[in-house]
Amino acid sequence: MSEINWFQKTPKWFWWSFFPVLGGLAIAYAGQKSNTKVWIAIGIGLTAVSLVLSEVQDAFLTLLWFAQIGTALAIKQSYLIKTYPHHLPLPDNPQLAQTIAQKRPKVDVNNCSKDDLVYGAGLPIAYANDIELLRNEGHIFTSSEELANLVDIPNNIMQRVEPLLVFGYYTQSEAEFSWRCLNTESIDGLVTRGMEADVAKQIVAERQKNGEFRSVADVKRRTGLPLKAYEMVVY
């Protein structure tokens, strides 16, 4: 079942709520399935009052019947949101996606597996591969905007998965990569590390002009230099 079909379905309990007197139990069932205690209380309360009045007050019983039907109508959409399957990607509707994402575990882009990106966040495998490649080069993602720009994720996909993503910062992971000396070393310092003077000058000039580099991929993108030109300080 797709995410579109999920929100077009009508749960079986909804039809059971149309039964007089005992229909409130269907609402209680919906509460139990969605772990919503207030629905359980409402359903049991409607059923209990209906049983008490079933022998003496037909007018009040009719009002209670309409009340349980109205309650079922009111909670149907919320029930579908609360029970939305984890294996389905977030829906395209931004409001629905945000609501569902609040009930799902978040995926830390900087500290997760490729499966987490694909099955947890719903990213296509091609983008998950690119994220893994950049992470292996030492890049630490800091925002959804940066992720979309560096991995070239289309807006419609990014809007759908963004509510599930977080961006942790791990100094230990950062320290494992020495490429960050490109943000601190002088030209002479880089040459001492084994870099050609012309390459060192180009890197330092770009850093001074446009700010620190965010990753190895950022160095390559901004300078146009091949990785082999500065790989001696990357790993």
Side-chain angles (χ1 to χ4, degrees):
M1 177 180 292
S2 69
E3 62 272 22
I4 297 176
N5 291 335
W6 178 262
F7 287 103
Q8 291 177 343
K9 68 179 292 188
T10 299
K12 291 181 179 179
W13 65 261
F14 177 80
W15 300 117
W16 285 103
S17 70
F18 281 66
F19 278 79
V21 182
L22 297 178
L25 293 178
I27 296 171
Y29 173 81
Q32 188 273 327
K33 291 291 288 184
S34 62
N35 195 27
T36 309
K37 293 181 180 179
V38 66
W39 295 354
I40 298 174
I42 290 173
I44 293 175
L46 286 171
T47 303
V49 176
S50 296
L51 287 171
V52 171
L53 298 179
S54 61
E55 298 284 336
V56 292
Q57 296 286 346
D58 289 342
F60 282 118
L61 192 61
T62 300
L63 289 176
L64 286 170
W65 181 57
F66 281 120
Q68 71 188 34
I69 293 174
T71 301
L73 287 168
I75 70 172
K76 176 186 171 186
Q77 180 76 349
S78 294
Y79 173 83
L80 292 174
I81 292 173
K82 289 174 178 286
T83 58
Y84 189 75
H86 283 272
H87 70 274
L88 292 179
L90 293 179
D92 292 331
N93 183 297
Q95 186 175 0
L96 279 177
Q98 185 69 42
T99 302
I100 294 170
Q102 291 174 357
K103 305 178 186 303
R104 285 190 175 183
K106 300 299 186 286
V107 175
D108 188 339
V109 175
N110 293 317
N111 189 34
C112 68
S113 68
K114 190 188 302 184
D115 283 348
D116 290 334
L117 290 169
V118 174
Y119 300 110
L123 268 176
I125 185 66
Y127 302 116
N129 285 335
D130 288 343
I131 290 171
E132 184 180 58
L133 178 64
L134 287 174
R135 286 194 328 195
N136 288 341
E137 291 186 344
H139 184 68
I140 297 176
F141 295 97
T142 59
S143 68
S144 298
E145 292 78 10
E146 179 193 23
L147 179 66
N149 289 334
L150 292 184
V151 186
D152 197 23
I153 302 175
N155 286 337
N156 62 321
I157 295 178
M158 197 66 222
Q159 289 175 359
R160 190 186 69 210
V161 304
E162 185 176 9
L164 286 174
L165 303 179
V166 293
F167 299 85
Y169 186 78
Y170 302 94
T171 55
Q172 181 178 0
S173 297
E174 181 180 20
E176 292 175 358
F177 299 91
S178 61
W179 70 267
R180 294 182 183 278
C181 70
L182 297 176
N183 286 326
T184 58
E185 288 282 10
S186 64
I187 294 174
D188 289 341
L190 293 175
V191 171
T192 300
R193 289 173 176 265
M195 191 179 296
E196 295 290 336
D198 289 344
V199 173
K201 289 178 181 179
Q202 187 172 343
I203 287 176
V204 172
E206 171 61 28
R207 184 185 77 207
Q208 292 175 341
K209 180 180 179 181
N210 295 310
E212 292 187 352
F213 301 105
R214 295 177 297 177
S215 68
V216 175
D218 193 37
V219 176
K220 180 176 177 59
R221 178 174 58 81
R222 286 166 53 181
T223 65
L225 293 168
L227 178 61
K228 66 180 180 181
Y230 47 90
E231 63 182 354
M232 71 289 299
V233 301
V234 169
Y235 302 109

